[in-house]
Amino acid sequence: MSALEAHLVRQIGAGGPISVADYMATCLMHPEMGYYATRDPLGGAGDFTTAPEMTQMFGELLGLALAQSWLDQGAPAPFALAELGPGRGTLMADALRATASVPGFHDAMRLYLVEGSPTLRQMQESTLARGDVTWHGDAADLPDLPLFLLANEFFDALPIRQFERADEGWRERVVGLKDGALRLGLSEPLASPRLTHRLEDTRTGDIVEICPAGERAAGEIGARIAERGGAALIVDYGDWRSLGDTLQAVRGHAPADPLTTPGLADLTAHVDFEALARAAPCRHSRLTAQGVFLERLGIAARAQALARRLEGPALETHVAAYRRLTHPQEMGTLFKVIAFTPEGAAPPPGLDP
Ligand code: SAH
């Protein structure tokens, strides 16, 4: 039994079952034993890989799309260029390199990274290698400035609560103990007014998920964008509305049981983009498939230009990454993009109002 599993067994033994959200939060961000707090999970040697780790094109195109929104909104100065959950800092590094040629953009920007993991903060510091970055642990601490923000695979890592529809209300899925081991169970029926809008599209036995931390972060970002201007580009897997149990664990690039390896596997859930859009007090674009978005931004031309300088295995890797990001049977359709913008502003390029 891992140290974190022993810790959870003791905690639940003493205090009773905990919500799936509390379980996820402990597994991912416990300061000494949490998954993100203690390791770099990304890349071939890690547990999973992400778009910016596959190709520089992802960060370049997202950075340029944000810079276009900044120009469209009259190039406000100063402004905050921010990222939620920057991982190794690769996406931001690629975005900064691509936007260096946008006149005035770097002069006007202040850089903010929202990161909960001390290990990953250190990696971001060495990847970016610049002295002007401010780190925060929470989106609520972002400054009161026009906000241009990126978030890739951040919201899927935030703790979700799960509810199962019962004949008489909703029961919450909880993590309890059976014979000394972690086991999923159900709470007594709850009155859950937050779920009344889901009575239309669910039946007894269905599971719905909510992500309070994600809604809070979307609210913080949306409030700044509504008041000060800016744009947020949010990329993740999920859909307009979530239905069913989407909690999943990944370890060493393979699926795992979310309950058997606490702290040793990545835990994620699909993002409910409707819930984020409802929580953000600003406008949002139409939810768009990542493949469509990247093609509209010109990824094919960029891929060809880069391919001219490559050969052998490097060329093969490059072509595979392009395919993986855009192809409908790979990440092109599962991953979606939404933008938040202020009233009266056009969405970033590649997205529809
Ligand atoms: N965006 C990066 C990394 C995705 S992994 C990429 O695309 O490669 C998720 C990131 O979110 C990690 O940096 C993780 O440490 C961070 N994170 C997860 N939960 C967080 C939380 N509650 N608060 C702040 N950062 C969090």
Side-chain angles (χ1 to χ4, degrees):
M1 189 183 285
S2 73
L4 189 62
E5 192 170 356
H7 166 80
L8 283 159
V9 167
R10 270 197 312 278
Q11 183 194 341
I12 294 167
I18 60 175
S19 69
V20 170
D22 287 343
Y23 175 74
M24 255 181 110
T26 303
C27 290
L28 294 179
M29 283 296 180
H30 185 281
E32 286 100 46
M33 296 175 275
Y35 179 76
Y36 281 115
T38 53
R39 76 192 66 220
D40 166 21
L42 291 150
D47 292 304
F48 63 96
T49 192
T50 56
E53 297 302 326
M54 289 174 217
T55 168
Q56 67 186 77
M57 298 187 288
F58 188 76
E60 290 171 350
L61 293 171
L62 264 64
L64 289 170
L66 266 196
Q68 184 62 54
S69 281
W70 177 76
L71 289 169
D72 290 346
Q73 291 181 37
F79 73 94
L81 180 65
E83 186 178 353
L84 305 182
R88 292 176 168 174
T90 310
L91 190 160
M92 184 54 88
D94 292 335
L96 289 172
R97 195 181 57 255
T99 54
S101 56
V102 177
F105 191 69
H106 283 204
D107 290 336
M109 85 187 174
R110 310 271 183 277
L111 269 178
Y112 296 88
L113 301 181
V114 174
E115 175 56 68
S117 157
T119 309
L120 289 174
R121 274 189 195 197
Q122 266 178 17
M123 289 204 74
Q124 293 153 18
E125 191 168 7
S126 71
T127 302
L128 294 173
R130 42 192 301 156
D132 59 348
V133 181
T134 304
W135 276 269
H136 289 303
D138 197 299
D141 299 323
L142 286 169
D144 187 19
L145 286 174
L147 176 62
F148 291 83
L149 177 138
L150 298 170
N152 182 59
E153 292 210 47
F154 169 74
F155 285 92
D156 66 60
L158 299 181
I160 50 145
R161 294 177 68 182
Q162 295 186 317
F163 297 89
E164 189 175 305
R165 184 163 171 187
D167 289 331
E168 57 317 354
W170 299 86
R171 293 172 186 263
E172 179 155 14
R173 283 181 124 196
V174 292
V175 179
L177 296 178
K178 175 111 193 275
D179 304 328
L182 300 173
R183 179 67 75 87
L184 275 178
L186 286 175
S187 75
E188 290 304 306
L190 310 165
S192 192
R194 300 188 58 174
L195 293 172
T196 43
H197 71 292
R198 301 305 303 270
L199 288 174
E200 302 144 27
D201 68 333
T202 55
R203 289 184 299 184
T204 299
D206 281 348
I207 290 173
V208 301
E209 299 175 336
I210 62 170
C211 182
E215 292 176 27
R216 263 198 310 281
E220 294 287 344
I221 298 162
R224 284 168 182 76
I225 290 173
E227 280 161 32
R228 303 298 309 267
L233 271 176
I234 296 170
V235 186
D236 226 309
Y237 48 98
D239 225 316
W240 183 246
R241 187 174 268 213
S242 85
L243 181 63
D245 172 14
T246 74
L247 180 66
Q248 62 184 44
V250 169
R251 190 180 184 192
H253 299 264
D257 179 336
L259 286 192
T260 51
T261 46
L264 303 176
D266 186 35
L267 291 179
T268 61
H270 282 203
V271 172
D272 181 340
F273 285 93
E274 181 191 36
L276 298 186
R278 285 165 74 115
C282 62
R283 295 191 71 102
H284 62 84
S285 73
R286 204 178 296 174
L287 188 65
T288 303
Q290 170 176 290
V292 171
F293 173 68
L294 294 174
E295 293 294 356
R296 286 175 175 172
L297 292 181
I299 194 172
R302 181 69 182 134
Q304 272 172 2
L306 287 171
R308 272 181 228 120
R309 293 192 244 139
L310 300 170
E311 55 187 32
L315 179 59
E316 277 167 36
T317 307
H318 169 66
V319 172
Y322 165 62
R323 186 189 147 85
R324 198 149 164 215
L325 255 51
T326 55
H327 196 279
Q329 265 141 34
E330 306 234 16
M331 295 163 74
T333 306
L334 176 64
F335 279 70
K336 312 274 192 318
V337 189
I338 199 169
F340 295 162
T341 45
E343 203 63 47
L351 297 173
D352 302 311

